[in-house]
């Protein structure tokens, strides 16, 4: 939006301004008001109140009157030396006796100029229209019939039949308008800057207080009102120590050094504040403090964590989702329920595919942290450097390819909730040391950073290895072992869970093929081949077997033939073992896709890697 210039002029001045206005319309908006003396002030004040003009331009009596009342910038059209000489030259064409009439004060240096002229010039001033009329009467009585002056002077002179010469020229008006344009643009820029500053201050989450060099409050934003419970009207313009209880802002006025991250009590409210002096050209001109209610910081952090939770860091399973009626599974579920209500670390142990992560999710959802994030990470699935950056995060520029602005680690994202470290036995010695510090100090530092971040997390860990054997071999830190083994859950393998394989298979098959009735499912999964199978891949393998059954099953199919086709090679395998030929055959079928191969073989991708490398 263009800045606006309000022009308060009259008759001849208005005409001259309009004749050159086209030069300025690309830069500013011109509003011309044709009025005089008694009427000019109310109109100008109305425009100022409604913010219709950034700058005003006027001349003569109008300008003198407005200058005493307007707060906005006012540019007066001055009578230049060129103007007066040109006007006198024109007046000389009418008479050798000329009157020059101006408002309140005479034109500087006019007397020196007239002393050099060969004709007579008499200069007079007026304050009111009545006084102007009296002066014109006197001049006319003296035989002076040619008058130089403003629009009002010309108008009153012509009413008497006198000749009037306008004292202003387009040159003088252009000079005034040029100056007004510069002021208007500058004011507009400053106004927009001030408005941006005001909006930033008003909508800042932090409370902000600023004072002048005498300690009087000049800024007190809405957040400061809210945090302190004090209305702005009671604070602005007053000494800060008189209106803010326990203020320490005067400290930085008297001793101009920043005071950062200071804890302070304002009544019953605890805040964290930064106080700094305002120094201009080496002189302290004031002080400013920004502060936040510690309680609101915690609530905001809680909101952020909740949003992260809603974006996917959540546990989908509960302990009730764990299917099984065997004594082994009932006992371990009872332990899980008891451990869930504590905040201690739990080490979940069990073979591949026994459902360790399902237990971890169930424990989280039954704990007091259930409304907070659940973050799971497979420690065996990532190389050491990548795992470190995922767990601890990194700062911008920490390494080649680091994301601009850095990235929070999973420990930070799990704040308030639970982090599940699957395959913890695969962590390198270097990361074991960093993990131990997190568990003991509840602090993390991003890669490439120097800032310590406190985290409030519960750790659940899982492994399919015998960690104590790793400790004995020196592959796992003994202190870390004792730190994570506060509570231990030993998940039984499926082969030790009796009828649970039948229950699980029935549940999965009913979901995949709902049209197969329960009696048929009972006959199929009650077959000796199915019941005798020892499930080396545990529940993960069982799911894959059931998926194959769901695809190959047809009404009237021979159960023995179907199960023999699916289980024939598995029945001769020892627990946890797959022949290399079978692995490579499946890899060939899926064109080397290890994720799909692991799924078809009923083992985890990590186990597949381990078997290929063994």
């Amino acid at each position: 939006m263009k800045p606006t210039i309000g022009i308060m002029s009259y008759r001849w001045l208005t005409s001259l301004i309009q004749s050159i206005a086209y030069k300025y319309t690309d830069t500013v908006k011109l509003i011309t008001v044709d009025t005089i003396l008694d009427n000019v002030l109310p109109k100008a004040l109305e425009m100022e109140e409604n913010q219709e003009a950034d700058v005003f331009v006027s001349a003569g009596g109008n300008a003198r009157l407005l200058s005493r009342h307007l707060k906005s910038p006012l540019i007066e059209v001055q009578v230049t030396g060129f103007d007066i000489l040109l006007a006198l030259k024109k007046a000389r064409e009418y008479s050798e006796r000329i009157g020059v009439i101006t408002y309140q004060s005479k034109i500087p240096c006019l007397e020196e100029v007239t002393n050099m002229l060969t004709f007579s010039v008499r200069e007079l001033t007026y304050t009111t229209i009545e006084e102007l009329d009296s002066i014109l009467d006197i001049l006319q009585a003296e035989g002076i019939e040619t008058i130089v002056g403003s629009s009002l002077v010309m108008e009153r002179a012509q009413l008497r039949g006198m000749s009037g010469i306008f004292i202003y020229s387009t040159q003088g008006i252009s000079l005034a308008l040029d100056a007004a344009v510069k002021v208007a643009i500058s004011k507009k820029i400053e106004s927009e800057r001030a408005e941006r500053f005001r909006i930033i201050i008003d909508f800042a989450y932090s409370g902000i207080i600023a004072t002048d060099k005498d300690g009087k409050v000049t800024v007190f934003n809405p957040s400061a009102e809210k945090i302190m419970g004090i209305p702005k009207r009671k604070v602005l313009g007053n000494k800060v120590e008189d209106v803010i209880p326990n203020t320490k802002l005067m400290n930085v006025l008297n001793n101009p050094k920043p005071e950062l991250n200071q804890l302070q009590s304002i009544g019953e409210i605890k805040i964290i504040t930064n106080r700094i002096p305002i120094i201009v050209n080496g002189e302290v001109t004031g002080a400013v403090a920004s502060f936040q209610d510690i309680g609101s910081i915690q609530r905001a952090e809680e909101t952020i964590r909740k949003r992260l939770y809603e974006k996917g860091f959540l546990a989908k399973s509960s302990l009730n989702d764990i299917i099984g009626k065997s004594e082994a599974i009932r006992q371990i579920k009872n332990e899980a329920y008891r451990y869930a209500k504590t905040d201690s670390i739990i080490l979940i142990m069990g073979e591949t595919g026994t459902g360790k992560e399902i237990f971890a999710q169930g424990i989280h959802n039954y704990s007091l942290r259930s409304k907070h994030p659940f973050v799971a990470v497979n420690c065996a699935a990532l190389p050491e450097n990548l795992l470190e950056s995922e767990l601890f995060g990194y700062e911008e520029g920490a390494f080649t390819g680091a994301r601009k602005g850095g990235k929070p680690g999973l420990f930070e994202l799990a704040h308030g909730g639970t982090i599940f470290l699957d395959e913890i036995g695969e962590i390198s010695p270097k990361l074991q040391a960093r993990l131990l510090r997190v568990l003991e100090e509840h602090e993390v530092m991003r890669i490439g950073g120097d800032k310590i971040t406190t985290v409030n997390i519960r750790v659940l860990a899982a492994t399919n290895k015998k960690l104590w054997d790793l400790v004995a071999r020196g592959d796992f830190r003994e202190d870390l072992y004792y730190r994570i083994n506060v509570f231990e859950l030993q998940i039984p393998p499926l082969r030790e869970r009796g009828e649970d394989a039948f229950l699980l298979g029935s549940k999965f098959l009913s979901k995949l093929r709902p049209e197969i009735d329960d009696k048929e499912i009972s006959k199929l999964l009650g077959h000796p081949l199915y019941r005798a199978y020892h499930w080396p891949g545990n529940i993960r393998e069982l799911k894959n077997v059931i998926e194959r059954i769901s695809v190959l099953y047809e009404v009237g199919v021979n159960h023995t033939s179907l199960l023999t086709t699916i289980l024939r090679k598995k029945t001769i395998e020892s627990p946890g073992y797959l022949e290399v030929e079978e692995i490579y055959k499946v890899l060939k079928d899926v064109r080397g896709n290890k994720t799909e191969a692991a799924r078809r073989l009923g083992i985890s991708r990590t186990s597949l890697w381990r078997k290929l490398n063994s």
Side-chain angles (χ1 to χ4, degrees), residues 159-219:
L159 288 174
R160 290 168 170 74
M162 304 169 79
S163 298
I165 305 299
F166 193 48
I167 198 169
Y168 297 102
S169 69
T170 54
Q171 183 191 45
I173 295 169
S174 294
L175 289 173
L177 287 177
D178 290 344
V181 168
K182 291 180 181 179
V183 172
I185 292 174
S186 177
K187 184 184 176 186
K188 193 74 173 178
I189 292 171
E190 288 301 317
S191 177
E192 290 174 354
R193 185 179 298 160
E195 181 64 11
R196 284 197 298 270
F197 177 74
R198 186 194 65 79
I199 291 172
I200 291 169
I201 294 295
D202 284 354
F203 285 89
Y205 184 72
S206 298
I208 298 174
I209 302 175
T211 72
D212 61 17
K213 63 181 180 180
D214 298 319
K216 290 183 178 180
V217 179
T218 56
V219 174

Side-chain angles (χ1 to χ4, degrees), residues 74 84 90 124 241 255 374 467 511 522 591:
L74 172 68
I84 190 63
K90 290 180 180 178
L124 298 166
E241 65 264 35
N255 182 22
F374 175 84
L467 285 187
K511 186 175 181 180
S522 295
R591 298 182 179 180

Side-chain angles (χ1 to χ4, degrees), residues 325-386:
K325 294 183 179 179
S326 65
E327 180 61 28
I329 201 66
R330 284 207 305 267
Q331 181 178 339
I332 207 70
K333 282 176 68 174
N334 287 336
E335 289 181 22
Y337 277 119
R338 291 199 301 272
Y339 296 164
K341 289 304 180 183
T342 73
D343 214 27
S344 300
I345 301 173
I346 301 174
L347 178 61
I348 305 172
M349 304 180 72
E351 295 177 6
T352 295
T354 51
K356 295 185 288 296
E357 183 167 350
I358 300 295
F359 268 90
Q361 291 185 17
I363 289 169
H364 171 78
N365 279 331
Y366 195 68
S367 74
L368 298 177
R369 297 175 180 264
S370 61
K371 300 299 182 183
H372 300 277
F374 175 84
V375 179
V377 57
N378 189 322
C379 300
L382 300 172
E384 178 185 341
N385 290 342
L386 183 54

Side-chain angles (χ1 to χ4, degrees), residues 48-221:
E48 184 176 59
E49 184 178 355
N50 296 333
Q51 298 182 342
E52 295 177 36
D54 298 295
V55 179
F56 288 89
V57 171
S58 194
N62 280 353
R64 305 290 171 78
L65 184 61
L66 294 176
S67 66
R68 295 195 294 268
H69 299 279
L70 289 181
K71 296 177 182 177
S72 301
L74 172 68
I75 306 298
E76 183 177 355
V77 180
Q78 300 287 343
V79 177
T80 67
F82 174 79
D83 290 344
I84 190 63
L85 290 175
L86 183 62
L88 290 174
K89 179 177 180 294
K90 290 180 180 178
R92 176 67 180 80
E93 296 174 3
Y94 293 95
S95 173
E96 291 190 354
R97 299 183 67 196
I98 300 167
V100 177
I101 304 175
T102 56
Y103 182 77
Q104 288 190 339
S105 59
K106 294 183 178 182
I107 299 171
C109 303
L110 178 59
E111 186 175 350
E112 286 80 356
V113 172
T114 57
N115 289 334
M116 296 183 291
L117 300 176
T118 59
F119 51 89
S120 171
V121 177
R122 185 173 181 192
E123 185 180 13
L124 298 166
T125 64
Y126 73 96
T127 301
T128 64
I129 293 178
E130 291 76 12
E131 188 177 359
L132 172 59
D133 287 338
S134 296
I135 291 171
L136 289 170
D137 290 341
I138 293 170
L139 291 176
Q140 196 168 35
E142 293 177 358
I144 299 175
E145 295 289 338
T146 303
I147 304 297
V148 174
S150 64
S151 293
L152 179 62
V153 172
M154 287 182 62
E155 181 182 67
R156 306 305 288 186
Q158 288 179 355
L159 288 174
R160 290 168 170 74
M162 304 169 79
S163 298
I165 305 299
F166 193 48
I167 198 169
Y168 297 102
S169 69
T170 54
Q171 183 191 45
I173 295 169
S174 294
L175 289 173
L177 287 177
D178 290 344
V181 168
K182 291 180 181 179
V183 172
I185 292 174
S186 177
K187 184 184 176 186
K188 193 74 173 178
I189 292 171
E190 288 301 317
S191 177
E192 290 174 354
R193 185 179 298 160
E195 181 64 11
R196 284 197 298 270
F197 177 74
R198 186 194 65 79
I199 291 172
I200 291 169
I201 294 295
D202 284 354
F203 285 89
Y205 184 72
S206 298
I208 298 174
I209 302 175
T211 72
D212 61 17
K213 63 181 180 180
D214 298 319
K216 290 183 178 180
V217 179
T218 56
V219 174
F220 193 73
N221 75 339

Side-chain angles (χ1 to χ4, degrees), residues 260-314:
L260 306 178
N261 298 320
Q262 301 293 305
L263 292 175
Q264 184 179 342
S265 295
I266 304 291
E268 297 181 356
I269 300 170
K270 292 189 180 299
I271 63 172
I272 184 166
T273 180
N274 295 320
R275 298 181 287 266
I276 60 171
I278 301 172
I279 300 176
V280 179
N281 296 326
E283 181 181 349
V284 177
T285 60
V288 62
S290 64
F291 53 92
Q292 291 184 5
D293 175 10
I294 292 176
S296 68
I297 295 174
Q298 293 170 338
R299 288 190 294 273
E301 187 178 71
E302 183 73 16
T303 300
I304 293 170
R305 303 296 177 183
K306 184 177 179 182
R307 287 175 182 170
L308 289 172
Y309 173 80
E310 291 170 349
K311 286 183 178 180
F313 291 126
L314 73 162

